[in-house]
Amino acid sequence: QKEVEQDPGPLSVPEGAIVSLNCTYSNSAFQYFMWYRQYSRKGPELLMYTYSSGNKEDGRFTAQVDKSSKYISLFIRDSQPSDSATYLCATFLNRDDKIIFGKGTRLHILP
Amino acid sequence: GAVVSQHPSWVICKSGTSVKIECRSLDFQATTMFWYRQFPKQSLMLMATSNEGSKATYEQGVEKDKFLINHASLTLSTLTVTSAHPEDSSFYICSAGGDREEHGYTFGSGTRLTVV
């Protein structure tokens, strides 16, 4: 079993819809979780960074961590064509440990 | 905070030459930086962990002598691709953690290397 599982998609949704992106992880010791957005030929951009369980909101983005089910989610409200990108979930065990990534989900927002 | 700058953004070199890629943490000190390689439509592949003042830790299958990593200061790590060949053409990205617990890991903008 991979440490972080993520559906690669592609996921296509109409503009304005709410997007739900999800990952599961296997190691209950993980406490730090991140979501990145990567456009083609660019480095990943950190969108959300959360510690332990709970929700975190930033503008149109909400990150959710459910440690009991080892499930992490990213919600995008009022999706825009500019949100079309690959979204990667990630985690790490301790500071300066290597990051463990999901495979990334390709998202297409249809105008 | 936690900005990572990577240069150059793209480079073309002749087969057999060496190429150096720089990764700088602009507003924080990074004792650890990470170097990744990414092929089109694939996920990031960790190549090595760069530690300030000590030798880098390479992932299995990555040639240490081909991909030289130097982390000479708390704000600069370099990756040198030695004797580059066309199969080394790829997208190389560096990453660092911020100096504060509330910072996640941020990435450089990446370097597209083409070896001809």
Side-chain angles (χ1 to χ4, degrees), chain A residues 32 34 36 38 41-46 49 56 88 92 94-99 101-104 106, chain B residues 31-32 34 36 38 43-44 46 59 91 93 95 97-98 100-110 112:
Chain A
Y32 302 93
M34 297 170 287
Y36 291 89
Q38 186 177 24
R41 299 180 179 233
K42 298 288 185 184
E45 173 193 4
L46 180 63
Y49 174 49
K56 184 175 183 178
L88 299 131
F92 60 92
N94 298 301
R95 204 65 182 153
D96 289 341
D97 280 352
K98 62 183 180 182
I99 306 168
F101 286 97
K103 283 187 172 289
R106 284 182 291 136
Chain B
T31 55
T32 304
F34 303 91
Y36 296 84
Q38 188 176 36
S43 192
L44 297 156
L46 180 65
E59 295 298 302
F91 192 54
I93 317 171
S95 169
R100 295 167 63 178
E101 204 57 48
E102 56 265 38
H103 292 155
Y105 288 87
T106 54
F107 284 79
S109 54
R112 182 156 302 281

Side-chain angles (χ1 to χ4, degrees), chain B:
Chain B
V3 177
V4 174
S5 175
Q6 186 174 343
H7 293 281
S9 55
W10 61 272
V11 59
I12 301 173
C13 71
K14 289 186 177 180
S15 188
T17 61
S18 295
V19 173
K20 181 185 283 189
I21 302 169
E22 290 189 351
C23 182
R24 293 182 185 273
S25 56
L26 295 186
D27 52 358
F28 67 100
Q29 294 183 328
T31 55
T32 304
M33 290 186 177
F34 303 91
W35 288 96
Y36 296 84
R37 184 173 182 176
Q38 188 176 36
F39 292 104
K41 296 189 178 181
Q42 294 191 23
S43 192
L44 297 156
M45 183 188 79
L46 180 65
M47 297 175 66
T49 302
S50 170
N51 303 295
E52 188 268 336
S54 64
K55 290 184 179 180
T57 305
Y58 290 82
E59 295 298 302
Q60 194 173 7
V62 177
E63 297 177 61
K64 299 177 184 182
D65 295 332
K66 166 164 276 296
F67 299 101
L68 299 179
I69 290 172
N70 187 329
H71 197 149
S73 77
L74 286 170
T75 58
L76 175 64
S77 175
T78 60
L79 168 67
T80 301
V81 183
T82 62
S83 186
H85 289 283
E87 57 266 30
D88 299 324
S89 298
S90 190
F91 192 54
Y92 294 89
I93 317 171
C94 67
S95 169
D99 57 352
R100 295 167 63 178
E101 204 57 48
E102 56 265 38
H103 292 155
Y105 288 87
T106 54
F107 284 79
S109 54
T111 298
R112 182 156 302 281
L113 170 64
T114 302
V115 185
V116 297

Side-chain angles (χ1 to χ4, degrees), chain A:
Chain A
Q1 181 186 11
K2 291 184 70 68
E3 290 189 279
V4 178
E5 300 270 9
Q6 183 177 11
D7 187 336
L11 176 63
S12 297
V13 300
E15 183 177 357
I18 296 174
V19 176
S20 173
L21 302 167
N22 309 292
C23 291
T24 58
Y25 61 95
S26 58
N27 189 345
S28 58
F30 290 135
Q31 295 196 81
Y32 302 93
F33 303 94
M34 297 170 287
W35 281 97
Y36 291 89
R37 176 175 63 194
Q38 186 177 24
Y39 293 112
S40 180
R41 299 180 179 233
K42 298 288 185 184
E45 173 193 4
L46 180 63
L47 284 177
M48 302 292 280
Y49 174 49
T50 55
Y51 172 74
S52 195
S53 279
N55 293 357
K56 184 175 183 178
E57 188 174 320
D58 184 1
R60 295 186 296 114
F61 299 92
T62 299
Q64 199 170 73
V65 176
D66 182 348
K67 292 202 74 182
S68 63
S69 57
K70 298 181 198 161
Y71 197 81
I72 56 177
S73 302
L74 178 71
F75 299 96
I76 307 174
R77 291 183 298 281
D78 188 25
S79 56
Q80 306 292 315
S82 58
D83 294 328
S84 298
T86 296
Y87 290 79
L88 299 131
C89 60
T91 183
F92 60 92
L93 200 55
N94 298 301
R95 204 65 182 153
D96 289 341
D97 280 352
K98 62 183 180 182
I99 306 168
I100 300 164
F101 286 97
K103 283 187 172 289
T105 299
R106 284 182 291 136
L107 173 66
H108 299 289
I109 305 298
L110 307 171

